[in-house]
Amino acid sequence: MILLQVQHLEDGMGLGGKRAIITGSNSGIGLGVAEALAAAGAEVVLNSFTDRAEDHELAAELGARHGVAARYIAADMSKGAECRALVEKAGGCDILVNNAGIQFVSPIEEFPVDKWDAILAINLTSAFHTIAAALPGMRAKGWGRVVNVASAHGLTASPFKSAYIAAKHGVVGLSKTVALEMAGQGITCNAICPGYVLTPLVEAQIPEQMKVHGMDRETVIREVMLLRQPSRQFATVEQIGGTAVYLCSSAADQVTGTTISVDGGWTAL
Ligand code: NAD
């Protein structure tokens, strides 16, 4: 293990000896970020709300692939106490990636109240709890990285996604506030704003979007999802992972309280 960590340092990646918690990381972007941080030498703690053998196997395989310690800790990010318990059970962290998120698409008058509450809890309030729990340990070490996975929808809006867009704008505001509170203490906080990335979350939106817009699958992908992404290409989980690694590097020591868009030009429009 020590030899492998030295190797990661020699590779110039420099995250050996750092522990990262990535919420919502048994699939999609979270898993991609965990993979990238592990490849850079970090110990990783994967999370979701399920507690299946396959979740723990996923972490074990990821750790073995990169020669780092890796664990899976189940915690439901819709529940504040579980968010804080995740950080405690992990033994604190040097890198906190708030990534857990869900989506629901509906006109606002018909938007189910339980969906609104769940989206705000998982996509926004969970980050408040995990950050509050993780910061004391980071402050004690004089080093920390908080990376919040927001969205292009943290900077712009689209119809039928009121809860998601409210939550993601909230994540951007929360990131700026934490950055100011931690300024000069070796701790940065930023938000990554991806455009569309083809993950299970996006796959699940396609039928809803087809219904709302009355379009077939290919038309929804071309005319709705990628319409505002000038590259007309999905971003990849590897690109989001690489951005997170950059934010954790010493090159980003003075990058704080800001957003980094990985959106094929969406927010340049
Ligand atoms: P995904 O569905 O593949 O991943 C979501 C993750 O969150 C999963 O691991 C899921 O198990 C977990 N999760 C859901 N509810 C949870 C809960 N209550 N407690 C703990 N974990 C929970 O989706 P994704 O596309 O990888 O999304 C990850 C993040 O990226 C989300 O915050 C999403 O809003 C954001 N994002 C995605 C895209 C995209 O196009 N895919 C674009 C911008 C932002």
Side-chain angles (χ1 to χ4, degrees), residues 83 96 98 121-132 148 171 174:
C83 298
L96 172 64
N98 287 302
I122 296 167
N123 297 29
L124 174 60
T125 309
S126 67
F128 157 69
H129 289 294
T130 55
I131 290 169
N148 296 320
V171 168
L174 176 67

Side-chain angles (χ1 to χ4, degrees), residues 51-239:
D51 200 6
R52 307 165 299 187
E54 66 200 75
D55 295 319
H56 295 272
E57 284 161 16
L58 184 71
E61 285 166 13
L62 191 151
R65 217 167 26 253
H66 297 289
V68 297
R71 280 176 289 160
Y72 177 88
I73 300 178
D76 184 345
M77 293 296 105
S78 71
K79 299 187 170 72
E82 293 198 27
C83 298
R84 289 171 188 256
L86 167 64
V87 176
E88 197 181 319
K89 283 181 193 168
C93 61
D94 307 285
I95 298 165
L96 172 64
V97 181
N98 287 302
N99 168 79
I102 59 168
Q103 172 65 287
F104 191 81
V105 179
S106 163
I108 193 161
E109 317 91 284
E110 292 148 32
F111 211 97
V113 174
D114 62 333
K115 296 285 186 199
W116 173 277
D117 289 343
I119 289 173
L120 268 288
I122 296 167
N123 297 29
L124 174 60
T125 309
S126 67
F128 157 69
H129 289 294
T130 55
I131 290 169
L135 283 180
M138 292 181 182
R139 199 190 268 115
K141 291 181 189 168
W143 194 94
R145 293 285 188 269
V146 180
V147 178
N148 296 320
V149 179
S151 169
H153 279 131
L155 303 167
T156 65
S158 300
F160 313 124
K161 296 185 175 178
S162 52
Y164 186 84
I165 286 162
K168 293 299 188 181
H169 276 70
V171 168
V172 170
L174 176 67
S175 305
K176 292 179 185 175
T177 307
V178 172
L180 293 180
E181 292 187 23
M182 294 299 116
Q185 299 177 62
I187 300 165
T188 67
C189 181
N190 295 286
I192 300 177
C193 294
Y196 275 106
V197 185
L198 195 56
T199 63
L201 181 137
V202 169
E203 270 297 338
Q205 286 178 55
I206 295 174
E208 293 165 14
Q209 290 276 16
M210 286 166 65
K211 200 166 118 195
V212 169
H213 293 281
M215 294 174 176
D216 65 22
R217 178 185 166 87
E218 294 314 311
T219 312
V220 158
I221 290 175
R222 192 181 61 249
E223 301 300 335
V224 178
M225 293 186 155
L226 297 182
L227 181 68
R228 294 170 70 186
Q229 202 146 309
S231 65
R232 296 286 175 131
Q233 293 165 344
F234 284 109
T236 66
V237 299
E238 290 79 10
Q239 290 159 0

